[in-house]
């Protein structure tokens, strides 16, 4: 049997790969430790890439739609200002949304928690009285079993327990960080990391074409031509798919928030503006986001009217069914170029495999696989001689 140099290289590669894989499995703890160290070293760069990827969505909107006239301007200076101005607008819009959410939502939530705890004894007493009226024909009384309980004391104890738990967490954090100075240092360090990650993202966005060309040249230089072409195509497809997915997810959340506001206004639910914003923001997280938004909205309404809080839950469950089965697959499926039924299946299967993160990543990954499969099918069909028989 003749063994040429190509076969020798292949055999050596398989042997080396097997040895390395076996060593990694036997030292899995060290591998994860090394991966954590690498992640810590490049965390700012990785965060910068993630921020740049997200900011690229509004950046493209400003460049291609809002400020498109600057691209066609006769002055070269005006055309050169298109990218910097688009980056600044993207940062302002993103930061403005975050600030508004923090200033509008969190203060209301803090007030709501205190108000709900304060009103809970009255709610419980009303429920017991209602139960007595319903169960009176059956000669059964809830007051006989629950009437002697001091509900004010019960919920006061619950509030104190929650406060002690928070104090315990703060104390634990103090033990971990050592002193208040160390806590302040950690906060400052986190802010600095965010600032530097944002700066990296701005540099990447400002020169994303140059970065892309350099990466492509590196791939062409170190990999075989056919493999390099396939890798470049896959990278472009992945970037477009994930970007379209983010755009579709944002559009779906905005639509859901608007529908929620319209429905709450029609049914005269209180706090329609704040709750609609909460629903829109929490819906960005697949699977559990909608449930969290409904709970927060019900708590905000509960301080005003318990019956309306219950009706709000019913209303949102119906709206979630419409959004989850009709609007979301249509909007996100169109954005990623995939049938709506596959979007719904991808979210469910991804959530079952890896929870929230799986549901979030399943749609763009499935869209990539669907696109590759569709192209492979078209290539194989195009090789057939003669038209396809029916």
């Amino acid at each position: 049997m003749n063994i040429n140099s190509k076969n020798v290289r292949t055999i050596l590669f398989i042997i080396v790969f097997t040895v390395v894989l076996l060593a990694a499995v036997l030292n899995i703890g060290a591998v994860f430790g090394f991966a954590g160290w690498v992640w810590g070293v490049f965390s700012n760069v990785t965060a910068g890439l993630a921020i740049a990827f997200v900011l690229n969505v509004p950046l493209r909107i400003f460049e291609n739609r809002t400020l498109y006239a600057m691209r066609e301007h006769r002055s070269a200076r005006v055309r050169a200002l298109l990218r910097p101005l688009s980056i600044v607008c993207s940062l302002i819009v993103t930061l403005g949304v975050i600030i508004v959410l923090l200033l509008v939502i969190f203060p209301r939530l803090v007030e709501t928690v205190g108000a709900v705890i304060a009103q809970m004894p009255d709610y419980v007493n009303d429920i017991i009285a209602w139960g007595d009226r319903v169960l009176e024909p059956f000669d059964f009384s809830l007051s006989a079993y629950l009437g002697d309980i001091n509900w004010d004391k019960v919920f006061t104890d619950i509030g104190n327990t929650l406060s002690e738990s928070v104090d315990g967490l703060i104390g634990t954090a103090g033990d971990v960080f050592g002193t208040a100075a160390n806590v302040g240092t950690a906060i400052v360090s986190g802010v600095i990391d965010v600032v530097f990650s944002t700066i990296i993202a701005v540099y990447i966005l400002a020169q994303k074409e140059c970065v892309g060309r350099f990466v492509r040249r590196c791939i062409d230089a170190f990999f075989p031509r056919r493999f390099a072409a396939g890798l470049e195509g896959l990278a472009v497809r992945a970037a477009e798919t994930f970007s379209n997915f983010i755009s579709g997810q944002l559009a779906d959340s905005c639509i859901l928030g608007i529908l929620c506001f319209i429905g709450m206004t029609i049914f005269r639910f209180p706090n329609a503006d704040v709750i609609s914003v909460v629903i829109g923001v929490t819906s960005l997280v697949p699977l559990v986001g909608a449930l969290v938004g409904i709970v927060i909205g019900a708590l905000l309404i509960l301080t005003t009217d318990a019956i309306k809080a219950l009706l709000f839950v019913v209303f949102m469950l119906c709206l979630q069914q419409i959004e989850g089965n009709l609007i979301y697959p249509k909007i996100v499926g169109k954005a990623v170029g995939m049938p709506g039924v596959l979007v719904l299946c991808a979210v469910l299967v991804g959530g079952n495999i890896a929870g929230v993160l799986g549901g979030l990543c399943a749609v763009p990954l499935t869209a990539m696989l669907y696109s590759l499969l569709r192209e492979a099918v078209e290539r194989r069909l195009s090789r057939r001689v003669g038209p396809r028989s029916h």
Side-chain angles (χ1 to χ4, degrees):
M1 181 178 63
N2 295 326
I3 301 178
N4 54 31
S5 59
K6 184 177 181 180
N7 292 333
V8 172
R9 289 197 300 269
T10 303
I11 294 173
L12 289 176
F13 174 79
I14 294 175
I15 294 174
V16 172
F17 178 78
T18 303
V19 172
V20 171
L21 181 62
L22 180 61
V25 172
L26 295 177
N27 299 276
I28 192 67
V31 171
F32 279 111
F34 178 75
W37 176 80
V38 172
W39 175 262
V41 171
F42 293 98
S43 59
N44 289 339
V45 178
T46 305
L49 291 172
I51 294 173
F53 192 83
V54 174
L55 288 179
N56 189 51
V57 175
L59 175 66
R60 293 194 305 176
I61 295 176
F62 281 109
E63 283 189 341
N64 300 330
R65 298 180 184 179
T66 308
L67 304 176
Y68 181 77
M70 296 179 63
R71 188 189 301 274
E72 305 295 331
H73 201 276
R74 291 176 297 177
S75 175
R77 292 183 177 179
V78 174
R79 293 196 302 269
L81 288 175
L82 175 60
R83 176 62 57 81
L85 184 59
S86 299
I87 293 176
V88 171
C89 291
S90 301
L91 288 172
I92 291 175
V93 169
T94 305
L95 185 61
V97 170
I98 294 174
I99 291 175
V100 168
L101 293 177
L102 291 177
L103 294 179
V104 172
I105 294 176
F106 282 101
R108 297 286 292 273
L109 292 179
V110 172
E111 295 176 2
T112 299
V113 172
V116 168
I117 293 177
Q119 296 180 14
M120 271 300 178
D122 295 333
Y123 291 145
V124 172
N125 291 326
D126 292 340
I127 292 173
I128 292 175
W130 174 80
D132 288 340
R133 291 193 299 270
V134 172
L135 298 175
E136 184 177 1
F138 303 97
D139 295 329
F140 185 83
S141 174
L142 290 178
S143 301
Y145 297 93
L146 303 177
D148 295 334
I149 299 176
N150 188 345
W151 293 107
D152 291 326
K153 184 177 183 304
V154 169
F155 286 102
T156 300
D157 293 340
I158 292 175
N160 293 334
T161 302
L162 293 176
S163 300
E164 292 175 0
S165 300
V166 173
D167 293 338
L169 291 175
I170 295 175
T172 304
D175 294 337
V176 172
F177 289 107
T179 61
N182 289 335
V183 175
T185 302
I187 295 175
V188 172
S189 177
V191 172
I192 292 176
D193 288 340
V194 172
V195 171
F196 276 110
S197 298
T198 305
I199 293 174
I200 293 173
V202 170
Y203 273 106
I204 293 173
L205 292 174
Q207 303 178 358
K208 60 179 182 178
E209 291 82 7
C210 296
V211 173
R213 284 196 297 268
F214 176 75
V215 173
R216 283 194 296 269
R217 288 177 62 85
C218 291
I219 293 175
D220 293 336
F222 293 101
F223 294 99
R225 181 175 301 177
R226 185 174 179 180
F227 180 81
L231 185 60
E232 291 174 9
L234 184 62
V236 171
R237 190 189 306 275
E240 292 179 353
T241 302
F242 275 84
S243 180
N244 292 335
F245 171 71
I246 293 175
S247 302
Q249 191 79 12
L250 290 174
D252 175 76
S253 298
C254 291
I255 292 174
L256 180 61
I258 293 172
L259 291 177
C260 179
F261 178 78
I262 294 174
M264 293 186 67
T265 303
I266 293 174
F267 293 110
R268 300 181 182 274
F269 290 127
N271 302 318
D273 51 352
V274 176
I275 294 175
S276 299
V277 173
V278 172
I279 294 295
V281 173
T282 55
S283 65
L284 290 171
V285 181
L287 301 179
V288 299
L291 180 61
V292 172
I294 293 175
V295 171
I296 294 175
L299 289 176
L300 287 171
I301 298 176
L302 188 62
T303 58
T304 304
D305 191 330
I307 300 299
K308 286 188 176 181
L310 180 61
L311 294 176
F312 167 78
V313 172
V314 175
F315 162 71
M316 282 306 305
L317 290 177
C318 296
L319 183 60
Q320 285 292 338
Q321 290 298 315
I322 297 174
E323 187 270 342
N325 294 286
L326 296 178
I327 300 176
Y328 183 83
K330 186 70 175 179
I331 297 295
V332 179
K334 184 178 180 180
V336 299
M338 190 169 61
V341 64
L342 285 183
V343 175
L344 185 60
C345 293
V347 172
L348 295 176
V349 174
N352 291 333
I353 294 175
V356 176
L357 184 61
L360 188 63
C361 298
V363 174
L365 291 176
T366 305
M368 284 184 56
L369 295 176
Y370 173 76
S371 178
L372 293 173
L373 177 61
R374 186 174 56 186
E375 289 186 1
V377 170
E378 293 298 330
R379 283 198 304 268
R380 291 184 66 88
L381 291 177
S382 64
R383 295 172 187 171
R384 293 184 176 182
V385 179
R388 182 179 179 182
S389 60
H390 296 277

